[in-house]
Amino acid sequence: MSGVHATARIGARDDGRGGTSLPVLESDGPLALRRTRGTGGEARVLLVGAMSGPLGGDRFAVEADVGSGARLHVGSAAATIALPGQAKDEAHYDVRLTVADGGELRWLPEQLISAKGSDLFVTTRVELGAGARLVLREEQVLGRVGEEPGRLTSRLTVRVAGRAVLDQELACGPGAPGGWDGPAVLAGYRAVGQLVVVRPEFLEAPTKSRNIGEHACVMPLAGPAALVTAVAPDALLLRRALDEALADVDIR
């Protein structure tokens, strides 16, 4: 099978002194993990891409496991660019996140850019304990400046205490089902993103459905969670919309 296969792993645990230790910080191939300075009891990790990609045929995966009492913030050093490569096979990027009851994860990577000719499947699976806390951001940009997009399929699933609170899939670009660029989906915009915020407090005081600014809307989910969806003409406006929504929705 062609392409590069790589899996990076992060394990975060309560260190017993009010902080978070990282007993597992395992880079692999082009997926390099670097611990950076955290604040308070939070550990911070930066994902650094050591090469271009994912390319056609590549299979990348990132796994994070957050234990009870641990707090982990994961970001990335730069945008990820899906490229066509020499192989004609699709590329895969899997994210698998687990947060125990009493743990907290802030998963805030930079944008994913779908370049012309690429074919990428992104799958994000999140398993949360009943009292876990989560902020997860996904941002996808269809094509570089002045360029048509590649094909991008993204599936996001979130389960809390074994119960599904979100399972959604979006397919865009050449070969995607018809209507993806119509008024019911992207309406001609080229940047799309979502935030998932899970907080135990939402069980007693669910967030309310509403628009935030011109480009974002908030929807309560069936559980202690809220979903923010945004579309925008470009990555900069998308980030502004999601940052505004996060400040409005997040409870810390």
Side-chain angles (χ1 to χ4, degrees):
M1 186 177 293
S2 61
V4 176
H5 292 201
T7 300
R9 296 180 175 88
I10 308 169
R13 298 291 181 268
D14 183 351
D15 67 5
R17 303 186 302 273
T20 300
S21 64
L22 298 175
V24 178
L25 195 63
E26 182 179 326
S27 302
D28 187 17
L31 302 174
L33 300 172
R34 300 288 183 265
R35 181 164 190 170
T36 61
R37 185 184 299 275
T39 58
E42 182 181 76
R44 291 198 175 212
V45 173
L46 201 63
L47 178 62
V48 181
M51 59 180 281
S52 298
L55 309 177
D58 289 351
R59 287 183 174 269
F60 292 173
V62 181
E63 300 176 355
D65 180 23
V66 182
S68 179
R71 296 173 56 201
L72 176 65
H73 180 128
V74 179
S76 57
T80 298
I81 305 178
L83 297 167
Q86 295 181 344
K88 300 302 181 183
D89 299 333
E90 67 270 9
H92 291 261
Y93 201 127
D94 295 328
V95 177
R96 298 183 284 268
L97 309 174
T98 304
V99 186
D101 187 5
E104 179 172 350
L105 173 62
R106 299 179 73 82
W107 186 266
L108 301 170
E110 296 300 310
Q111 299 93 350
L112 169 64
I113 301 172
S114 174
K116 183 178 180 180
S118 63
D119 189 359
L120 177 63
F121 287 74
V122 180
T123 303
T124 303
R125 301 181 182 91
V126 187
E127 292 283 346
L128 303 171
R133 302 168 75 86
L134 172 75
V135 175
L136 180 146
R137 181 181 68 208
E138 287 190 342
E139 297 172 308
Q140 294 149 0
V141 180
L142 305 184
R144 292 169 290 195
V145 176
E147 175 186 70
E148 291 298 312
R151 180 179 178 180
L152 176 62
T153 304
S154 174
R155 184 173 181 183
L156 171 61
T157 61
V158 179
R159 294 168 60 89
V160 179
R163 178 188 179 188
V165 298
L166 178 65
D167 189 342
Q168 69 175 23
E169 182 173 293
L170 176 65
C172 305
W180 67 268
D181 206 20
V185 188
L186 297 188
Y189 289 111
R190 285 295 173 266
V192 58
Q194 46 273 330
L195 282 167
V196 180
V197 180
V198 179
R199 292 285 180 256
E201 294 88 347
F202 288 157
L203 285 175
E204 299 297 329
T207 190
K208 296 181 180 179
S209 299
R210 60 196 183 278
N211 293 328
I212 297 181
E214 182 180 355
H215 298 292
C217 66
V218 181
M219 294 179 293
L221 299 177
L227 172 67
V228 176
T229 302
V231 293
D234 56 44
L236 179 61
L237 290 175
L238 178 67
R239 176 63 61 84
R240 288 177 179 171
L242 291 176
D243 283 349
E244 182 182 354
L246 183 58
D248 184 88
V249 174
D250 193 17
I251 301 172
R252 298 206 68 179

